[in-house]
Amino acid sequence: MSKFENVSVSKKANVYFDGKCVSYSLELPDGTSKSVGVIQPSSLTFTTSAPEIMELVAGEAKVTLAGDSTPITYRAGESFKVPGDSSFDIEVVDTMHYICHYG
């Protein structure tokens, strides 16, 4: 799928880590929530409240999930799952465009 149809988009951006990560919240007609955004090259730690699937649309990142010691490299077209009430470290190597699927 290259685009979402009939969505509600939050007007205000979610800006994290001094602007290194910027996203917008979406709500689909069925009530599903997602966010779409960009992370600039950096090393960051994110926490989750709900389970997430991070889908890389463009770019490259090395991801280490909580409890793991070895990072895994993900590229455009790939995704990774993060449990709820958890965290992950991410080293963005090449500007990453992503879709975060919640739940």
Side-chain angles (χ1 to χ4, degrees):
M1 165 187 329
S2 63
K3 63 181 178 176
F4 296 110
E5 300 285 347
N6 304 314
V7 299
S8 297
V9 179
S10 174
K11 287 182 178 181
K12 186 173 180 183
N14 306 304
V15 180
Y16 305 101
F17 304 105
D18 297 320
K20 292 181 179 95
C21 176
V22 178
S23 68
Y24 286 88
S25 299
L26 308 177
E27 185 175 329
L28 280 63
D30 66 0
T32 303
S33 295
K34 300 184 184 301
S35 63
V36 295
V38 173
I39 304 175
Q40 299 297 327
S42 55
S43 294
L44 308 170
T45 300
F46 286 89
T47 58
T48 63
S49 53
E52 300 179 359
I53 298 174
M54 292 288 289
E55 175 187 348
L56 279 71
V57 176
E60 180 178 326
K62 296 176 184 176
V63 176
T64 306
L65 298 176
D68 291 346
S69 58
T70 305
I72 298 174
T73 300
Y74 295 93
R75 295 176 181 83
E78 299 179 327
S79 62
F80 61 93
K81 295 180 181 181
V82 184
D85 297 319
S86 188
S87 66
F88 63 96
D89 296 324
I90 186 166
E91 179 186 347
V92 176
V93 178
D94 185 21
T95 300
M96 185 179 115
H97 300 242
Y98 69 90
I99 302 169
C100 182
H101 306 268
Y102 298 104

